[in-house]
Amino acid sequence: MTRASLDKQPQEVAAMFDAVAARYDLTNDVLSLGRTRLWRKEVARAVGARPGERVLDLAAGTGTSSLPFAAAGAFTVPCDFSLGMLAEGRRREPWLPFTAGDATRLPFRDGVFDAVTISFGLRNVQDTGAALREMLRVTRPGGRLVICEFSHPVLAPLRTVYSEYLMRALPAVATRVSSSPDAYVYLAESIRAWPDQRGLAEVVRRAGWSKVAWRDLTGGIVALHRGVRPDGKP
């Protein structure tokens, strides 16, 4: 699977991530020029996990993104639909409660989480709106949503350079460091096809979240979107 499309098949996407699981974190660090760690810190600040809270970390992969929430004292559930990623995560962090789950059909009761977050995974879900509604369902009233996702650089010169990097340099670098370079061709295309900041904010609002806002990171290469579940049932 190397082409980004609007009808992404969950089994194909999961298989793609299974193939890159072993070197996924290393590859991301290299391809982002180390920015991944900075973005992860910003996500942790935005989520603001506190002791005793319950945090659902979707598209958690190997669990690297979940560690800051657990370190803050929150009961953190890393959830992913790639069994290969989960197996690698369990090997590294066996104490975390890794859970297999499809973002459009989450295996959790209504209103059980104080916060739900997903980093660099929402664009790989087949039905974005359904996933956001499921996140709403499992979040308590007043609970919060944080999405970290690739977006559109706000300055035209940066957009041009970034687009060239995505489609030329990224696959070339991935060939050297990744266990499945073709997966990164798909990822580059999926980033280019993704809505801009305002467009994603509207999708989040339509799913039922309130107080939706975003802020750009690294000039808009990445954006943090936030929302709150209103009181009452979704």
Side-chain angles (χ1 to χ4, degrees):
M1 179 178 181
T2 60
R3 306 300 298 180
S5 64
L6 295 178
D7 59 347
K8 296 178 283 286
Q9 297 302 311
Q11 298 87 350
E12 293 180 343
V13 177
M16 178 190 72
F17 280 101
D18 289 347
V20 301
R23 305 186 72 181
Y24 182 73
D25 293 316
L26 170 64
T27 304
N28 284 350
D29 277 344
V30 172
L31 295 178
S32 70
L33 306 178
R35 292 286 177 177
T36 301
R37 300 182 186 191
L38 297 176
W39 297 334
R40 196 176 296 128
K41 289 180 181 178
E42 292 301 324
V43 172
R45 291 192 188 100
V47 171
R50 296 184 289 273
E53 287 193 323
R54 287 184 279 194
V55 175
L56 174 61
D57 185 17
L58 288 173
T62 61
T64 303
S65 59
S66 304
L67 295 177
F69 315 130
F75 177 75
T76 305
V77 179
C79 182
D80 203 290
F81 70 163
S82 165
L83 298 182
M85 285 286 198
L86 293 173
E88 181 66 18
R90 289 191 186 103
R91 186 186 69 80
R92 298 181 190 180
E93 309 290 347
W95 55 277
L96 280 172
F98 287 94
T99 302
D102 182 338
T104 64
R105 296 185 300 275
L106 292 173
F108 306 109
R109 298 194 312 273
D110 295 358
V112 295
F113 292 101
D114 298 285
V116 177
T117 182
I118 181 168
S119 294
F120 307 111
L122 189 59
R123 75 182 188 285
N124 297 317
V125 177
Q126 186 176 38
D127 188 333
T128 305
L132 288 166
R133 290 189 294 273
E134 271 291 271
M135 295 178 209
L136 187 74
R137 178 185 66 78
V138 302
T139 304
R140 66 166 176 80
R144 53 210 187 272
L145 168 73
V146 175
I147 301 166
C148 183
E149 189 53 87
F150 289 109
S151 196
H152 293 234
V154 294
L155 298 177
L158 180 58
R159 280 198 298 272
T160 301
V161 172
Y162 182 56
S163 180
E164 289 295 310
Y165 171 73
L166 281 177
M167 301 315 298
R168 296 187 182 184
L170 187 149
V173 174
T175 299
R176 293 178 176 272
V177 297
S178 173
S179 51
S180 181
D182 282 350
Y184 287 86
V185 177
Y186 160 80
L187 291 173
E189 292 174 342
S190 72
I191 292 168
R192 292 200 353 167
W194 189 243
D196 65 9
Q197 292 88 324
R198 192 175 300 278
L200 180 57
E202 183 56 31
V203 174
V204 175
R205 287 191 192 96
R206 288 201 303 266
W209 293 91
S210 66
K211 300 181 181 178
V212 177
W214 76 86
R215 65 186 178 91
D216 295 320
L217 303 177
T218 317
I221 289 175
V222 166
L224 277 182
H225 283 71
R226 303 178 67 176
V228 174
R229 177 182 160 176
D231 292 338
K233 295 182 179 180

